[in-house]
Amino acid sequence: MSEERMTRKQFAAVILVSLLSPLLRLLPQTAVTLAGRGAWLSALPALVPPLALGAILASFRRYMRPGEGMGGLLLRWLGPVAGRAALAVFAGWFLFYGGFILRSGAERLVSTIYPGSGQNLFVAATIALCLTVALGELGTAARTAVLMRAVLVGTLAAVLVLSVPNMDPEQLLPLGWNDAGPILAGALPLASVGAVAGCFSFLSGYVQPAKNQLWLLGTMILLLGLGGVICASVVCVFGPKLSAALTYPFFIMIRSISLGDLVPRIEAVVITAWVGADLMLCAMLLRCAHEAVRTIFRLPTPDQFPMGSLRGGRWLLWLEAAAVFGCSFFFDLPPWELKLWSDQYIPLASDAVLFGGFVLLWLVTIPRRKRERLCSEKGGSL
């Protein structure tokens, strides 16, 4: 099998498409609930935490060997016991989060498009597709993500443009200094979305080396910019109070577009965008979890073997997919309770694992980084 590594541009496309999943799930309702009419401005302060996390991950990336991702680095730096424990925590979170993505995506489809239908069929179909993507080469998924990025971003842009006649810009005003606190609070869900990019550090071994440390900056600006524009457009259509009260205000905004027979077609494309983003994120979470697990057991990279092969620990991908499917049943909850998990518990847990976990690892590994830097300057080896 080909082991050609992804380019950074392809990797950025994978990350953007994947992060559209939590973005479309959380926005605009969570940001508007916290920031009101100023939610669209929350995208500006929301850029700071992901950039800080990116700087931490960049400091790790400098010490990664060729073909090594975050999993290999942590095992090498933390040792066989602490390293495996850390990898097990990350793998467990990736699988748990993947189960939530499956269930929340199915609930969204059922509640908006197929009311009265069961969710489990959608969950089963989605995990089957995710496993198919995860069993293939990451390079293939990356090339697909480049096309998906153009389609998804273009779709969102078209929807926003078509909604302009229904917008009232005065809904965004007035804003004053008293709104500064709520606007900062509204940045929290946006920052949580950006933090999910930290998961992809486990796939660094499949990507060509970065030419500079700001390779993901444009993607983050585009992602959070889309978030800000979505918040602004929905508030302009429904006002801040109704936008915060509606369950899926962005989808309802699409239905308010007055273009006759074109509306069902737009809805279909937006649904495809929803499903495509969920699918890509869940498939990548499967691969991130596998990177952690295979590093624990010192197994080879799965892309060395054909798609249908179970050699080299590839059979673990099937077990990991089964674990994600099993985790999805933990979230088989009433809509109001699932929404509570979606808006509060999952973002908090994600921030704890990604922001908290990587900051803790950065602090713990300061002595190791100093030793490696010193050794590198002397031209020696550890």
Side-chain angles (χ1 to χ4, degrees), residues 325-357:
F325 184 67
C327 287
S328 72
F329 286 92
F330 179 85
F331 300 102
D332 190 6
L333 305 168
W336 66 268
E337 195 170 350
L338 182 62
K339 180 170 175 53
L340 191 63
W341 275 91
S342 177
D343 293 352
Q344 297 183 29
Y345 301 151
I346 290 296
L348 284 174
S350 177
D351 290 346
V353 174
L354 298 174
F355 282 126

mmCIF file of all heavy atoms in Angstrom, residues 325-357:
data_model
loop_
_atom_site.group_PDB
_atom_site.id
_atom_site.type_symbol
_atom_site.label_atom_id
_atom_site.label_comp_id
_atom_site.label_asym_id
_atom_site.label_seq_id
_atom_site.Cartn_x
_atom_site.Cartn_y
_atom_site.Cartn_z
ATOM 1 N N PHE A 325 -19.833 2.691 18.470
ATOM 2 C CA PHE A 325 -21.250 2.345 18.336
ATOM 3 C C PHE A 325 -21.869 2.099 19.709
ATOM 4 O O PHE A 325 -22.982 2.554 20.001
ATOM 5 C CB PHE A 325 -21.403 1.117 17.445
ATOM 6 C CG PHE A 325 -22.827 0.728 17.168
ATOM 7 C CD1 PHE A 325 -23.655 1.543 16.414
ATOM 8 C CD2 PHE A 325 -23.341 -0.459 17.662
ATOM 9 C CE1 PHE A 325 -24.973 1.189 16.149
ATOM 10 C CE2 PHE A 325 -24.656 -0.826 17.411
ATOM 11 C CZ PHE A 325 -25.474 -0.006 16.659
ATOM 12 N N GLY A 326 -21.134 1.389 20.568
ATOM 13 C CA GLY A 326 -21.630 1.136 21.919
ATOM 14 C C GLY A 326 -21.768 2.415 22.727
ATOM 15 O O GLY A 326 -22.755 2.602 23.448
ATOM 16 N N CYS A 327 -20.797 3.307 22.601
ATOM 17 C CA CYS A 327 -20.858 4.579 23.330
ATOM 18 C C CYS A 327 -22.045 5.424 22.900
ATOM 19 O O CYS A 327 -22.583 6.219 23.692
ATOM 20 C CB CYS A 327 -19.567 5.369 23.123
ATOM 21 S SG CYS A 327 -18.134 4.719 24.016
ATOM 22 N N SER A 328 -22.471 5.256 21.647
ATOM 23 C CA SER A 328 -23.595 6.061 21.160
ATOM 24 C C SER A 328 -24.868 5.766 21.956
ATOM 25 O O SER A 328 -25.738 6.637 22.088
ATOM 26 C CB SER A 328 -23.829 5.800 19.669
ATOM 27 O OG SER A 328 -24.382 4.511 19.453
ATOM 28 N N PHE A 329 -24.976 4.561 22.508
ATOM 29 C CA PHE A 329 -26.178 4.214 23.267
ATOM 30 C C PHE A 329 -26.194 4.888 24.634
ATOM 31 O O PHE A 329 -27.250 4.998 25.257
ATOM 32 C CB PHE A 329 -26.294 2.694 23.411
ATOM 33 C CG PHE A 329 -26.710 2.025 22.139
ATOM 34 C CD1 PHE A 329 -25.761 1.563 21.242
ATOM 35 C CD2 PHE A 329 -28.056 1.866 21.818
ATOM 36 C CE1 PHE A 329 -26.138 0.956 20.056
ATOM 37 C CE2 PHE A 329 -28.442 1.257 20.631
ATOM 38 C CZ PHE A 329 -27.487 0.807 19.749
ATOM 39 N N PHE A 330 -25.048 5.328 25.105
ATOM 40 C CA PHE A 330 -25.002 6.109 26.340
ATOM 41 C C PHE A 330 -25.772 7.418 26.167
ATOM 42 O O PHE A 330 -26.312 7.962 27.133
ATOM 43 C CB PHE A 330 -23.545 6.396 26.721
ATOM 44 C CG PHE A 330 -23.391 7.225 27.963
ATOM 45 C CD1 PHE A 330 -23.402 6.628 29.218
ATOM 46 C CD2 PHE A 330 -23.241 8.602 27.887
ATOM 47 C CE1 PHE A 330 -23.273 7.395 30.374
ATOM 48 C CE2 PHE A 330 -23.112 9.378 29.029
ATOM 49 C CZ PHE A 330 -23.125 8.767 30.283
ATOM 50 N N PHE A 331 -25.814 7.902 24.922
ATOM 51 C CA PHE A 331 -26.481 9.167 24.622
ATOM 52 C C PHE A 331 -27.871 8.973 24.029
ATOM 53 O O PHE A 331 -28.427 9.899 23.443
ATOM 54 C CB PHE A 331 -25.618 9.992 23.666
ATOM 55 C CG PHE A 331 -24.261 10.318 24.208
ATOM 56 C CD1 PHE A 331 -23.138 9.620 23.803
ATOM 57 C CD2 PHE A 331 -24.119 11.325 25.158
ATOM 58 C CE1 PHE A 331 -21.891 9.921 24.319
ATOM 59 C CE2 PHE A 331 -22.873 11.631 25.679
ATOM 60 C CZ PHE A 331 -21.758 10.933 25.263
ATOM 61 N N ASP A 332 -28.411 7.768 24.176
ATOM 62 C CA ASP A 332 -29.785 7.520 23.727
ATOM 63 C C ASP A 332 -30.719 8.103 24.785
ATOM 64 O O ASP A 332 -31.292 7.383 25.620
ATOM 65 C CB ASP A 332 -30.020 6.021 23.549
ATOM 66 C CG ASP A 332 -31.339 5.724 22.854
ATOM 67 O OD1 ASP A 332 -32.007 6.687 22.403
ATOM 68 O OD2 ASP A 332 -31.712 4.541 22.767
ATOM 69 N N LEU A 333 -30.852 9.414 24.757
ATOM 70 C CA LEU A 333 -31.510 10.168 25.814
ATOM 71 C C LEU A 333 -32.670 10.983 25.258
ATOM 72 O O LEU A 333 -32.757 11.196 24.042
ATOM 73 C CB LEU A 333 -30.495 11.127 26.467
ATOM 74 C CG LEU A 333 -29.207 10.506 27.021
ATOM 75 C CD1 LEU A 333 -28.198 11.599 27.347
ATOM 76 C CD2 LEU A 333 -29.522 9.676 28.253
ATOM 77 N N PRO A 334 -33.529 11.468 26.121
ATOM 78 C CA PRO A 334 -34.557 12.409 25.662
ATOM 79 C C PRO A 334 -33.902 13.642 25.048
ATOM 80 O O PRO A 334 -32.786 14.009 25.441
ATOM 81 C CB PRO A 334 -35.310 12.769 26.959
ATOM 82 C CG PRO A 334 -35.041 11.643 27.894
ATOM 83 C CD PRO A 334 -33.673 11.139 27.554
ATOM 84 N N PRO A 335 -34.558 14.294 24.086
ATOM 85 C CA PRO A 335 -33.943 15.432 23.388
ATOM 86 C C PRO A 335 -33.407 16.507 24.320
ATOM 87 O O PRO A 335 -32.323 17.045 24.089
ATOM 88 C CB PRO A 335 -35.084 15.960 22.511
ATOM 89 C CG PRO A 335 -35.938 14.765 22.260
ATOM 90 C CD PRO A 335 -35.875 13.950 23.515
ATOM 91 N N TRP A 336 -34.157 16.837 25.383
ATOM 92 C CA TRP A 336 -33.710 17.906 26.281
ATOM 93 C C TRP A 336 -32.429 17.510 27.015
ATOM 94 O O TRP A 336 -31.556 18.335 27.258
ATOM 95 C CB TRP A 336 -34.811 18.257 27.291
ATOM 96 C CG TRP A 336 -35.136 17.152 28.259
ATOM 97 C CD1 TRP A 336 -36.092 16.186 28.131
ATOM 98 C CD2 TRP A 336 -34.479 16.905 29.513
ATOM 99 N NE1 TRP A 336 -36.089 15.335 29.213
ATOM 100 C CE2 TRP A 336 -35.104 15.762 30.082
ATOM 101 C CE3 TRP A 336 -33.438 17.511 30.203
ATOM 102 C CZ2 TRP A 336 -34.725 15.227 31.310
ATOM 103 C CZ3 TRP A 336 -33.056 16.987 31.435
ATOM 104 C CH2 TRP A 336 -33.692 15.862 31.982
ATOM 105 N N GLU A 337 -32.301 16.217 27.346
ATOM 106 C CA GLU A 337 -31.113 15.765 28.068
ATOM 107 C C GLU A 337 -29.913 15.663 27.126
ATOM 108 O O GLU A 337 -28.778 15.992 27.506
ATOM 109 C CB GLU A 337 -31.393 14.418 28.726
ATOM 110 C CG GLU A 337 -30.362 14.032 29.778
ATOM 111 C CD GLU A 337 -30.777 12.811 30.585
ATOM 112 O OE1 GLU A 337 -31.937 12.363 30.474
ATOM 113 O OE2 GLU A 337 -29.916 12.297 31.326
ATOM 114 N N LEU A 338 -30.146 15.201 25.901
ATOM 115 C CA LEU A 338 -29.067 15.151 24.915
ATOM 116 C C LEU A 338 -28.560 16.559 24.613
ATOM 117 O O LEU A 338 -27.358 16.775 24.434
ATOM 118 C CB LEU A 338 -29.556 14.475 23.632
ATOM 119 C CG LEU A 338 -28.502 14.316 22.524
ATOM 120 C CD1 LEU A 338 -27.355 13.428 22.990
ATOM 121 C CD2 LEU A 338 -29.134 13.738 21.257
ATOM 122 N N LYS A 339 -29.476 17.516 24.568
ATOM 123 C CA LYS A 339 -29.081 18.900 24.326
ATOM 124 C C LYS A 339 -28.215 19.419 25.462
ATOM 125 O O LYS A 339 -27.263 20.182 25.243
ATOM 126 C CB LYS A 339 -30.321 19.775 24.157
ATOM 127 C CG LYS A 339 -29.992 21.234 23.907
ATOM 128 C CD LYS A 339 -31.207 22.020 23.505
ATOM 129 C CE LYS A 339 -30.869 23.499 23.389
ATOM 130 N NZ LYS A 339 -29.698 23.736 22.506
ATOM 131 N N LEU A 340 -28.520 19.012 26.682
ATOM 132 C CA LEU A 340 -27.704 19.411 27.828
ATOM 133 C C LEU A 340 -26.282 18.875 27.685
ATOM 134 O O LEU A 340 -25.309 19.581 27.940
ATOM 135 C CB LEU A 340 -28.351 18.894 29.113
ATOM 136 C CG LEU A 340 -27.791 19.436 30.431
ATOM 137 C CD1 LEU A 340 -27.993 20.938 30.532
ATOM 138 C CD2 LEU A 340 -28.450 18.718 31.612
ATOM 139 N N TRP A 341 -26.169 17.632 27.258
ATOM 140 C CA TRP A 341 -24.844 17.066 26.996
ATOM 141 C C TRP A 341 -24.146 17.810 25.863
ATOM 142 O O TRP A 341 -22.956 18.102 25.942
ATOM 143 C CB TRP A 341 -24.980 15.584 26.643
ATOM 144 C CG TRP A 341 -25.037 14.688 27.832
ATOM 145 C CD1 TRP A 341 -26.152 14.266 28.506
ATOM 146 C CD2 TRP A 341 -23.924 14.103 28.513
ATOM 147 N NE1 TRP A 341 -25.809 13.464 29.550
ATOM 148 C CE2 TRP A 341 -24.452 13.339 29.578
ATOM 149 C CE3 TRP A 341 -22.555 14.137 28.322
ATOM 150 C CZ2 TRP A 341 -23.626 12.622 30.454
ATOM 151 C CZ3 TRP A 341 -21.724 13.425 29.183
ATOM 152 C CH2 TRP A 341 -22.264 12.689 30.234
ATOM 153 N N SER A 342 -24.899 18.099 24.814
ATOM 154 C CA SER A 342 -24.318 18.758 23.641
ATOM 155 C C SER A 342 -23.816 20.157 23.957
ATOM 156 O O SER A 342 -22.719 20.548 23.533
ATOM 157 C CB SER A 342 -25.362 18.817 22.523
ATOM 158 O OG SER A 342 -24.858 19.511 21.402
ATOM 159 N N ASP A 343 -24.606 20.920 24.711
ATOM 160 C CA ASP A 343 -24.285 22.325 24.945
ATOM 161 C C ASP A 343 -23.326 22.537 26.112
ATOM 162 O O ASP A 343 -22.589 23.529 26.129
ATOM 163 C CB ASP A 343 -25.569 23.123 25.219
ATOM 164 C CG ASP A 343 -26.470 23.205 24.001
ATOM 165 O OD1 ASP A 343 -26.035 22.785 22.915
ATOM 166 O OD2 ASP A 343 -27.613 23.677 24.139
ATOM 167 N N GLN A 344 -23.331 21.630 27.097
ATOM 168 C CA GLN A 344 -22.560 21.879 28.308
ATOM 169 C C GLN A 344 -21.541 20.786 28.613
ATOM 170 O O GLN A 344 -20.334 21.054 28.666
ATOM 171 C CB GLN A 344 -23.514 22.044 29.500
ATOM 172 C CG GLN A 344 -24.450 23.247 29.368
ATOM 173 C CD GLN A 344 -25.328 23.428 30.586
ATOM 174 O OE1 GLN A 344 -24.966 23.071 31.706
ATOM 175 N NE2 GLN A 344 -26.510 24.002 30.384
ATOM 176 N N TYR A 345 -22.007 19.549 28.830
ATOM 177 C CA TYR A 345 -21.111 18.516 29.337
ATOM 178 C C TYR A 345 -20.017 18.131 28.348
ATOM 179 O O TYR A 345 -18.842 18.018 28.726
ATOM 180 C CB TYR A 345 -21.913 17.271 29.735
ATOM 181 C CG TYR A 345 -22.960 17.508 30.790
ATOM 182 C CD1 TYR A 345 -24.125 16.735 30.853
ATOM 183 C CD2 TYR A 345 -22.808 18.518 31.732
ATOM 184 C CE1 TYR A 345 -25.093 16.946 31.818
ATOM 185 C CE2 TYR A 345 -23.777 18.747 32.707
ATOM 186 C CZ TYR A 345 -24.911 17.958 32.744
ATOM 187 O OH TYR A 345 -25.864 18.180 33.696
ATOM 188 N N ILE A 346 -20.393 17.917 27.085
ATOM 189 C CA ILE A 346 -19.387 17.505 26.092
ATOM 190 C C ILE A 346 -18.351 18.601 25.852
ATOM 191 O O ILE A 346 -17.138 18.329 25.857
ATOM 192 C CB ILE A 346 -20.070 17.082 24.772
ATOM 193 C CG1 ILE A 346 -20.820 15.761 24.966
ATOM 194 C CG2 ILE A 346 -19.044 16.947 23.648
ATOM 195 C CD1 ILE A 346 -19.936 14.563 25.292
ATOM 196 N N PRO A 347 -18.745 19.884 25.629
ATOM 197 C CA PRO A 347 -17.720 20.922 25.483
ATOM 198 C C PRO A 347 -16.806 21.046 26.692
ATOM 199 O O PRO A 347 -15.592 21.227 26.541
ATOM 200 C CB PRO A 347 -18.556 22.200 25.273
ATOM 201 C CG PRO A 347 -19.833 21.726 24.678
ATOM 202 C CD PRO A 347 -20.109 20.415 25.353
ATOM 203 N N LEU A 348 -17.370 20.931 27.909
ATOM 204 C CA LEU A 348 -16.539 21.017 29.117
ATOM 205 C C LEU A 348 -15.554 19.853 29.188
ATOM 206 O O LEU A 348 -14.372 20.041 29.503
ATOM 207 C CB LEU A 348 -17.429 21.035 30.363
ATOM 208 C CG LEU A 348 -18.150 22.352 30.667
ATOM 209 C CD1 LEU A 348 -19.116 22.172 31.835
ATOM 210 C CD2 LEU A 348 -17.143 23.458 30.983
ATOM 211 N N ALA A 349 -16.043 18.644 28.900
ATOM 212 C CA ALA A 349 -15.161 17.482 28.921
ATOM 213 C C ALA A 349 -14.087 17.579 27.847
ATOM 214 O O ALA A 349 -12.916 17.254 28.073
ATOM 215 C CB ALA A 349 -15.982 16.205 28.732
ATOM 216 N N SER A 350 -14.473 18.053 26.660
ATOM 217 C CA SER A 350 -13.521 18.225 25.568
ATOM 218 C C SER A 350 -12.431 19.226 25.945
ATOM 219 O O SER A 350 -11.241 19.000 25.711
ATOM 220 C CB SER A 350 -14.252 18.679 24.307
ATOM 221 O OG SER A 350 -13.349 18.918 23.250
ATOM 222 N N ASP A 351 -12.848 20.343 26.540
ATOM 223 C CA ASP A 351 -11.869 21.356 26.961
ATOM 224 C C ASP A 351 -10.934 20.796 28.023
ATOM 225 O O ASP A 351 -9.732 21.086 28.022
ATOM 226 C CB ASP A 351 -12.592 22.589 27.501
ATOM 227 C CG ASP A 351 -13.320 23.367 26.416
ATOM 228 O OD1 ASP A 351 -13.044 23.110 25.223
ATOM 229 O OD2 ASP A 351 -14.149 24.230 26.760
ATOM 230 N N ALA A 352 -11.484 19.993 28.938
ATOM 231 C CA ALA A 352 -10.650 19.419 29.998
ATOM 232 C C ALA A 352 -9.596 18.480 29.418
ATOM 233 O O ALA A 352 -8.429 18.513 29.821
ATOM 234 C CB ALA A 352 -11.533 18.677 31.004
ATOM 235 N N VAL A 353 -10.009 17.640 28.464
ATOM 236 C CA VAL A 353 -9.074 16.679 27.872
ATOM 237 C C VAL A 353 -8.057 17.358 26.965
ATOM 238 O O VAL A 353 -6.855 17.042 27.017
ATOM 239 C CB VAL A 353 -9.840 15.586 27.104
ATOM 240 C CG1 VAL A 353 -8.872 14.666 26.352
ATOM 241 C CG2 VAL A 353 -10.700 14.764 28.054
ATOM 242 N N LEU A 354 -8.532 18.288 26.136
ATOM 243 C CA LEU A 354 -7.663 18.875 25.114
ATOM 244 C C LEU A 354 -6.893 20.084 25.638
ATOM 245 O O LEU A 354 -5.661 20.076 25.645
ATOM 246 C CB LEU A 354 -8.495 19.244 23.886
ATOM 247 C CG LEU A 354 -9.183 18.037 23.219
ATOM 248 C CD1 LEU A 354 -10.110 18.481 22.113
ATOM 249 C CD2 LEU A 354 -8.155 17.049 22.690
ATOM 250 N N PHE A 355 -7.596 21.110 26.104
ATOM 251 C CA PHE A 355 -6.879 22.248 26.683
ATOM 252 C C PHE A 355 -6.122 21.815 27.939
ATOM 253 O O PHE A 355 -4.910 21.990 28.050
ATOM 254 C CB PHE A 355 -7.865 23.372 27.044
ATOM 255 C CG PHE A 355 -8.314 24.193 25.874
ATOM 256 C CD1 PHE A 355 -9.664 24.371 25.616
ATOM 257 C CD2 PHE A 355 -7.401 24.810 25.033
ATOM 258 C CE1 PHE A 355 -10.092 25.140 24.540
ATOM 259 C CE2 PHE A 355 -7.813 25.584 23.952
ATOM 260 C CZ PHE A 355 -9.165 25.743 23.715
ATOM 261 N N GLY A 356 -6.867 21.229 28.896
ATOM 262 C CA GLY A 356 -6.252 20.839 30.162
ATOM 263 C C GLY A 356 -5.194 19.768 30.004
ATOM 264 O O GLY A 356 -4.108 19.861 30.585
ATOM 265 N N GLY A 357 -5.508 18.737 29.211
ATOM 266 C CA GLY A 357 -4.580 17.624 29.056
ATOM 267 C C GLY A 357 -3.276 18.023 28.398
ATOM 268 O O GLY A 357 -2.189 17.676 28.886
#
